């Protein structure tokens, strides 16, 4: 049983290695008892468990290891760090942009993907949100659109969340709806562009100076 160091804190369990034998099982429970209704998860194989934070009133976690074999095991076991943790409100910790597509113009093209925006959300409770993207466009670009793909990092044109015209090389996309994040993780927005009808084929297009708010 792991106990937090102070009042109002919880135990957080973070794994750094995990490779169990064929008959090895790891059980993690909220609280001080290995009770079925307090089971957080059963872990086996070589898939690393995610971060586990107690939801028990006293902040404790109980960890139980069981094996059905008393002889040979092909596993190396597990390594994990247990520490006291105070819950934090969710916040947008990072917004990073990577190129998408080949960065070359096609004359009069629409919805050409040029950027993938990764939004890193950290914390444990409440919500955080985004409502706009702004920046500068390079090349013969007339309009930009934003497409939300959630936790999936592949481009898809199924959820357009906003669009804007490019004026003097700048754009400001106001989302049609606020993007609300209620759990930690990385979420993705793709930005596409429309090119001018007389754009020079193969010329460079792209985005820079991206700001999210």
């Amino acid at each position: 049983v792991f106990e937090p160091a102070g009042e109002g804190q919880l135990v957080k369990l973070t794994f750094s290695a995990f490779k169990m034998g064929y008959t090895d099982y790891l059980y993690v429970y909220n609280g001080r008892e290995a009770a079925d209704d307090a089971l957080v998860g059963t872990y086996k194989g070589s898939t690393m468990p995610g971060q586990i934070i107690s939801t028990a009133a006293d902040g404790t976690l109980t960890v139980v290891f069981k094996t059905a074999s008393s002889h040979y095991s092909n596993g190396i076991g597990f390594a994990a760090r247990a520490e006291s943790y105070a819950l934090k409100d969710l916040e947008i910790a990072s917004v990073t942009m990577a190129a998408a597509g080949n960065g070359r113009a096609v004359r009069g093209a629409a919805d050409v993907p040029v950027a993938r925006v990764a939004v890193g959300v950290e914390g444990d409770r409440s919500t955080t949100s985004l409502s706009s993207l702004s920046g500068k466009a390079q090349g013969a670009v007339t309009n930009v659109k934003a497409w939300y793909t959630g936790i999936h990092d592949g481009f898809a044109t199924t959820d357009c969340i906003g669009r804007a015209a490019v004026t003097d090389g700048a754009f400001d996309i106001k989302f049609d709806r606020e993007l609300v994040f209620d759990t930690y993780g990385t979420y993705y927005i793709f930005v596409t562009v429309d090119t001018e009808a007389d754009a020079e084929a193969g010329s460079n297009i792209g985005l820079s100076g991206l700001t999210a708010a």
Side-chain angles (χ1 to χ4, degrees):
V1 178
F2 294 99
E3 300 178 349
E7 186 176 351
Q9 294 183 324
L10 308 170
V11 172
K12 178 173 73 172
L13 199 61
T14 305
F15 289 83
S16 57
F18 195 89
K19 186 177 180 181
M20 308 290 270
Y22 293 127
T23 60
D24 298 341
Y25 296 87
L26 187 72
Y27 304 87
V28 180
Y29 301 86
N30 283 310
R32 298 175 178 274
E33 304 292 335
D36 289 345
D37 60 356
L39 182 66
V40 176
T42 302
Y43 308 98
K44 60 182 180 177
S46 59
T47 301
M48 186 91 71
Q51 176 181 281
I52 300 172
I53 299 175
S54 173
T55 59
D58 63 358
T60 58
L61 280 177
T62 296
V63 178
V64 177
F65 172 79
K66 292 184 179 181
T67 182
S69 174
S70 59
H71 302 292
Y72 172 77
S73 173
N74 68 323
I76 61 173
F78 66 93
R81 175 184 175 86
E83 57 187 321
S84 295
Y85 182 74
L87 290 178
K88 300 176 183 178
D89 288 340
L90 287 168
E91 64 176 359
I92 295 173
S94 63
V95 178
T96 56
M97 183 178 70
N102 62 13
R104 301 294 182 180
V106 176
R107 186 173 297 162
D111 298 336
V112 179
V114 293
R116 185 188 70 181
V117 181
V119 180
V121 176
E122 295 182 357
D124 315 285
R125 62 187 179 189
S126 190
T127 62
T128 189
S129 62
L130 279 181
S131 58
S132 68
L133 281 177
S134 59
K136 294 186 178 297
Q138 286 82 48
V141 174
T142 58
N143 300 288
V144 295
K145 295 178 185 175
W147 308 82
Y148 183 57
T149 60
I151 61 173
H152 304 290
D153 63 357
F155 176 55
T157 56
T158 54
D159 189 6
C160 181
I161 57 173
R163 66 199 71 204
V166 176
T167 304
D168 296 328
F171 65 89
D172 186 8
I173 305 174
K174 304 296 186 185
F175 296 164
D176 298 334
R177 69 178 191 277
E178 190 174 42
L179 292 183
V180 178
F181 310 106
D182 60 6
T183 189
Y184 74 91
T186 303
Y187 302 86
Y188 296 93
I189 301 168
F190 283 80
V191 182
T192 64
V193 301
D194 300 341
T195 59
E196 296 175 358
D198 58 353
E200 181 182 349
S203 60
N204 292 332
I205 55 174
L207 306 180
S208 65
L210 193 73
T211 300

